[in-house]
Amino acid sequence: MAPSHLSVREMREDEKPLVLEMLKAGVKDTENRVALHALTRPPALLLLAAASSGLRFVLASFALALLLPVFLAVAAMKLGLRARWGSLPPPGGLGGPWVAVRSSGDVCGVLALAPGSSAGDGARVTRLSVSRWHRRRGVGRRLLAFAESRARAWAGGMGEPRARLVVPVAVAAWGVAGMLEGCGYQAEGSWGCMGYTLVREFSKDL
């Protein structure tokens, strides 16, 4: 499917259930890799070992004491990722959410944008997900190009000194990171836990 066969428009209310399922599926594709990355860092392993040692004095089963902290940590991380990226944000100053639609009418991607937290920060992508059946067909790039055009228009309307777009990417989403770097974005920041990166932020001056 070539990008020319795609259009981007605001999401209709009747498309909301489909879009939510698309977002949840996108989170599920990365949450296990993010959890594995986070929980195999030395500080996390040390905390899990300490928790297991403590539980051995409470629980009769050694296996249960060993597995319970891991299970709870993975569950907490997955719930956090789903709460952050698996839902639709309220409409912001840049409009949307937006959906990518094939010429057949099938919704194959979703995008949401929000202004930066302070003047000069530009716009931020808060949601970007492509249906697993339409990946590697130009949908992500088409949504990214649309996001850039919206960010430029918003910056001009707000009198911002420059147009800028920031895209957060989970550390395990190497395909998305590669697409952004190929489109001229640069990794400029990150956030995580215990000194280890979970999400990288890519930005581009437009």
Side-chain angles (χ1 to χ4, degrees), residues 127-158:
R127 302 291 187 278
L128 178 60
S129 184
V130 176
S131 167
R132 65 182 60 183
W133 310 112
H134 299 281
R135 292 173 187 169
R136 301 185 183 277
R137 299 182 183 182
V139 180
R141 289 179 180 270
R142 178 70 179 87
L143 286 169
L144 188 62
F146 180 84
E148 291 176 359
S149 68
R150 291 292 301 177
R152 290 190 195 97
W154 177 79
M158 296 295 291

Side-chain angles (χ1 to χ4, degrees), residues 34-191:
V34 171
L36 180 64
H37 175 84
L39 296 180
T40 53
R41 303 306 96 186
L45 292 173
L46 182 62
L47 287 174
L48 290 174
S52 295
S53 298
L55 286 173
R56 288 180 61 186
F57 295 100
V58 179
L59 301 175
S61 170
F62 172 79
L64 184 59
L66 184 65
L67 295 175
L68 185 60
V70 176
F71 173 80
L72 292 176
V74 170
M77 186 164 294
K78 287 186 175 183
L79 288 173
L81 289 171
R82 292 175 189 179
R84 185 177 181 90
W85 286 329
S87 60
L88 277 172
L94 283 87
W98 312 88
V99 291
V101 185
R102 293 184 59 185
S103 56
S104 61
D106 294 335
V107 173
C108 54
V110 59
L111 166 74
L113 300 168
S117 57
S118 59
D121 284 351
R124 292 180 63 87
V125 171
T126 58
R127 302 291 187 278
L128 178 60
S129 184
V130 176
S131 167
R132 65 182 60 183
W133 310 112
H134 299 281
R135 292 173 187 169
R136 301 185 183 277
R137 299 182 183 182
V139 180
R141 289 179 180 270
R142 178 70 179 87
L143 286 169
L144 188 62
F146 180 84
E148 291 176 359
S149 68
R150 291 292 301 177
R152 290 190 195 97
W154 177 79
M158 296 295 291
E160 292 283 340
R162 61 172 178 167
R164 185 168 177 265
L165 187 63
V166 179
V167 187
V169 179
V171 70
W174 302 114
V176 178
M179 179 192 74
L180 290 170
E181 289 172 343
C183 292
Y185 286 77
Q186 294 184 339
E188 67 161 17
S190 63
W191 59 268

